[in-house]
Amino acid sequence: MTTTTTLKTTKSEEIFAAAQNLMPGGVNSPVRAFKSVGGQPIVFDRVKGAYIWDVDNNQYIDYVGTWGPAICGHAHPEVLSALKDVLEKGTSFGAPCYLENVLAEMVINAVPSIEMVRFVNSGTEACMAVLRLIRAFTGRDKVIKFEGCYHGHADMFLVKAGSGVATLGLPDSPGVPKSTTANTLTAPFNDLEAVKALFAEHPDQISGVILEPVVGNAGFIPPDAGFLEGLRVITQEHGALLVFDEVMTGFRIAYGGAQEKFGITPDLTTLGKIIGGGLPVGAYGGRKEIMEMVAPAGPMYQAGTLSGNPLAMTAGIKTLELLQRPGTYEQLDRVTQKLAQGMIQVAKEAGHAACGGFISAMFGFFFTEGPVHNYEDAKKSDLAKFARFHRGMLERGVYLAPSQFEAGFTSLAHTDEDIDRTLAAAREVMSSL
Ligand SMILES: *Cc1c(COP(=O)(O)O)cnc(C)c1O
């Protein structure tokens, strides 16, 4: 797809053209390729605070934040300085290191459900492992996930998945054996009756329910009142475990994640993104009696050459320290509210159907009247309009996620002036759609 553009992106185009012969689709993760919004991706050169610069030296206000980790702003000086100090000691130990204790303690103190934690290298790995764990603990094979929720790219979760799978409108992926997903049951988000029906249909076979407590991978979809509470009750009634995938929401919508925000404590939690401060990290944790099933304390096998990597631990520790400072979440909330409400107002003033919302540093909007309770509702958004909107914003120096089915992220580095500039750009683009 080609789109006329007023941006000068000659170098980006050259690099991306070459990349297409080197890597599938020219990228190492699908949504980056701009397939659903058209035009070519810009190739980044550097990031700082709320901004990114491309290889042609165009500057953008960034609302992707490397998909979540950059909640303190990109390349925060204190994170970089801590990394430089630790770097001198080496890049990987493959043996116990004190920094693992420090980050583990911070995570355990922050996240209500976590009494013990295992670090891995990505959110995908965390979700794979947590699924193995709930199966090991309950001795049951089936799991319930929700349509449009994304739990990484492991086989068992590539059923009605969100993120790039939703963005590209892909069917459940080839290469995933039917036998692998036969135990993956799906329900619409915010639909307790559907969950009850699945438990009734498969008595004593369901190991647990996994969900994004606030969906970010089908666009931004918050839980309806009573939904998380309902899942807590239903899982308990059936001897199944409740897993919050807080890879995105952990330390973002509150320091203790969605479970703190909504006061619902799951049995297990997966984390990633922010806890690595921009380096590759994931984690899963929960009640001690469950976590002690993990090898070598228990029989459930899971391992990793680079897990607990000292650089990744350091970036995570420093990022969480920054987030602990007073006023952090109030500031994130205020800035994001201004942006999210402003966007919808600007869209409506220009005569577009629009709806959306925000919680703390996470936001989203759809080009549909709404309300959006689940992935089916989200799909009613005018995707062609979103693509034109995305392009228009890019040309005016605002970098939004190149997909309608991804939440947006703000950071501590975003100022009122950044939001004002963003809304001014949005006003121009909305009136020309
Ligand atoms: C990003 C994400 C994942 C996958 O994490 P990776 O580090 O990309 O493997 C899993 N679950 C949720 C909710 C996510 O947002």
Side-chain angles (χ1 to χ4, degrees):
M1 207 189 311
T2 51
T3 319
T4 49
T5 174
T6 52
L7 266 183
K8 189 187 150 297
T9 52
T10 325
K11 280 191 192 159
S12 268
E13 282 159 39
E14 278 171 23
I15 293 170
F16 188 65
Q20 282 175 295
N21 287 318
L22 302 170
M23 296 165 284
V27 291
N28 284 305
S29 194
V31 180
R32 295 179 195 172
F34 275 42
K35 278 212 162 177
S36 74
V37 291
Q40 291 220 341
I42 55 163
V43 176
F44 286 26
D45 179 57
R46 61 193 189 278
V47 292
K48 188 78 192 167
Y51 308 119
I52 55 185
W53 287 264
D54 68 15
V55 286
D56 293 284
N57 219 19
N58 299 302
Q59 182 183 338
Y60 308 83
I61 304 173
D62 178 28
Y63 293 104
V64 181
T66 186
W67 302 99
I71 192 165
C72 297
H74 289 291
H76 193 286
E78 291 183 51
V79 176
L80 293 189
S81 151
L83 280 171
K84 280 175 192 156
D85 290 345
V86 170
L87 185 60
E88 293 297 324
K89 297 188 181 184
T91 55
S92 175
F93 300 162
C97 121
Y98 174 64
L99 296 166
E100 295 168 284
N101 292 22
V102 177
L103 188 59
E105 235 167 27
M106 291 177 95
V107 167
I108 289 165
N109 289 338
V111 184
S113 65
I114 300 187
E115 293 173 3
M116 195 174 252
V117 66
R118 165 63 59 85
F119 292 113
V120 292
N121 303 292
S122 68
T124 294
E125 261 189 78
C127 293
M128 281 171 67
V130 92
L131 179 57
R132 187 176 304 145
L133 182 56
I134 64 173
R135 287 170 164 171
F137 187 77
T138 59
R140 302 173 180 178
D141 286 343
K142 294 194 190 300
V143 63
I144 297 177
K145 78 175 280 289
F146 294 93
E147 293 162 14
C149 280
Y150 182 66
H151 305 295
H153 65 81
D155 283 0
M156 313 73 77
F157 291 122
L158 287 184
V159 182
K160 297 187 179 168
S163 190
V165 186
T167 300
L168 302 176
L170 297 176
D172 301 335
S173 178
V176 176
K178 282 211 172 59
S179 58
T180 315
T181 52
N183 288 314
T184 309
L185 309 171
T186 61
F189 195 75
N190 278 325
D191 188 341
L192 284 177
E193 292 311 313
V195 175
K196 284 182 194 160
L198 288 172
F199 272 103
E201 248 174 77
H202 306 278
D204 302 323
Q205 294 172 55
I206 297 173
S207 60
V209 175
I210 184 167
L211 75 156
E212 296 177 62
V214 176
V215 183
N217 284 294
F220 172 83
I221 309 175
D224 290 344
F227 180 60
L228 300 177
E229 290 87 336
L231 292 177
R232 182 62 285 183
V233 170
I234 297 168
T235 45
Q236 252 154 7
E237 277 173 4
H238 290 87
L241 298 175
L242 181 62
V243 184
F244 280 6
D245 178 354
E246 299 227 42
V247 171
M248 186 184 287
T249 53
F251 298 92
R252 175 162 291 279
I253 67 174
Y255 189 70
Q259 51 201 277
E260 177 193 308
K261 180 95 187 168
F262 294 100
I264 303 296
T265 306
D267 299 290
L268 291 158
T269 300
T270 54
L271 295 167
K273 298 189 171 128
I274 289 175
I275 61 157
L279 274 86
V281 180
Y284 61 103
R287 290 207 313 274
K288 233 179 203 158
E289 60 165 327
I290 309 175
M291 289 305 291
E292 283 184 332
M293 285 212 73
V294 179
M300 190 215 89
Y301 195 70
Q302 186 272 308
T305 300
L306 294 172
S307 297
N309 173 274
L311 289 173
M313 296 295 105
T314 298
I317 292 164
K318 193 39 96 173
T319 299
L320 298 198
E321 273 175 23
L322 292 168
L323 290 174
Q324 283 173 358
R325 293 182 184 166
T328 296
Y329 288 90
E330 289 79 0
Q331 185 187 330
L332 289 169
D333 200 70
R334 192 184 58 74
V335 166
T336 317
Q337 175 169 21
K338 178 170 169 173
L339 175 71
Q341 293 181 346
M343 278 284 194
I344 291 161
Q345 192 189 335
V346 163
K348 287 193 168 157
E349 278 168 13
H352 302 295
C355 69
F358 77 100
I359 302 177
S360 180
M362 181 172 169
F363 68 92
F365 67 94
F366 297 101
F367 282 113
T368 172
E369 255 352 302
V372 172
H373 292 289
N374 55 40
Y375 181 42
E376 280 308 308
D377 294 340
K379 283 197 282 192
K380 290 178 194 148
S381 186
D382 186 334
L383 301 184
K385 195 181 268 184
F386 178 82
R388 293 196 298 278
F389 176 67
H390 183 272
R391 191 75 212 168
M393 293 300 277
L394 196 70
E395 287 174 0
R396 285 163 184 79
V398 179
Y399 189 78
L400 298 168
S403 165
Q404 174 71 92
F405 300 114
E406 298 285 355
F409 301 126
T410 47
S411 78
L412 289 170
H414 287 83
T415 61
D416 278 299
E417 198 200 328
D418 293 325
I419 307 298
D420 290 337
R421 275 172 54 203
T422 304
L423 292 176
R427 192 165 284 120
E428 272 182 37
V429 178
M430 289 284 188
S431 66
S432 71
L433 288 179

